[in-house]
Amino acid sequence: MAWTQQEVRELKEGRYVLIDDEPCRILSIQMSKPGKHGEAKARIDAVGIFDERKRSVVFPVTHKVQVPMIGKRSAQVLSLSGSEVQLMDLENYETFMLALEPDLQGQLTPGSEVQYLDAMGKRRIMRK
């Protein structure tokens, strides 16, 4: 299982939540007061960590949402080939290929270390 459950009222800015089956980092949460016949609602604004798309959802504060298990790991750059980079995880020594993002083009060199996110079966280089 790649996620856990939490109530909306327990979420905080900067943490993660699943929206449309995409792990997202929470940018802001606005809570409204309960209405005459309803309950308090929360508006969550978030951005996808893999596709960079902004998303907004509104839930009652007692609603349970899925929170993805995000792994922040370190890897060593083994080789660069065009638009792909080969990495080796520094804990389990697994090697894998990732697409090289345009903002990292020319910044990575073989032998250097990078941090990457591992969530829901997807990976992405965070920073050098």
Side-chain angles (χ1 to χ4, degrees), residues 3-67:
W3 51 269
T4 61
Q5 279 193 330
Q6 265 187 320
E7 284 191 0
V8 171
R9 71 171 127 222
E10 298 169 351
L11 296 176
K12 295 187 176 14
E13 290 180 15
R15 299 265 174 88
Y16 300 95
V17 67
L18 271 182
I19 301 175
D20 302 329
D21 290 328
E22 182 69 29
C24 300
R25 188 172 48 83
I26 298 171
L27 299 174
S28 67
I29 300 176
Q30 292 98 27
M31 303 278 189
S32 67
K33 293 182 179 177
K36 187 173 182 180
H37 299 289
E39 56 184 317
K41 300 235 182 336
R43 176 189 169 92
I44 301 170
D45 294 319
V47 63
I49 60 175
F50 293 114
D51 62 4
E52 300 280 330
R53 286 185 38 219
K54 288 195 174 191
R55 295 171 167 86
S56 294
V57 290
V58 177
F59 291 122
V61 293
T62 56
H63 184 76
K64 292 211 182 276
V65 292
Q66 296 173 342
V67 177

Side-chain angles (χ1 to χ4, degrees), residues 1 4 12 20 24 30 93 114 116 123 127:
M1 185 155 76
T4 61
K12 295 187 176 14
D20 302 329
C24 300
Q30 292 98 27
Y93 305 111
V114 293
Y116 72 95
R123 295 177 175 146
R127 63 177 183 264

Side-chain angles (χ1 to χ4, degrees), residues 94-111:
E94 173 191 3
T95 59
F96 52 91
M97 298 291 283
L98 285 181
L100 189 57
E101 296 178 24
D103 58 331
L104 291 174
Q105 199 85 36
Q107 293 186 22
L108 300 180
T109 56

Side-chain angles (χ1 to χ4, degrees), residues 61-97:
V61 293
T62 56
H63 184 76
K64 292 211 182 276
V65 292
Q66 296 173 342
V67 177
M69 305 293 264
I70 307 279
K72 293 179 182 168
R73 307 180 71 139
S74 296
Q76 182 178 11
V77 177
L78 294 179
S79 67
L80 298 157
S81 61
S83 62
E84 287 192 323
V85 59
Q86 184 179 20
L87 301 173
M88 178 181 68
D89 188 287
L90 292 176
E91 285 180 34
N92 60 14
Y93 305 111
E94 173 191 3
T95 59
F96 52 91
M97 298 291 283

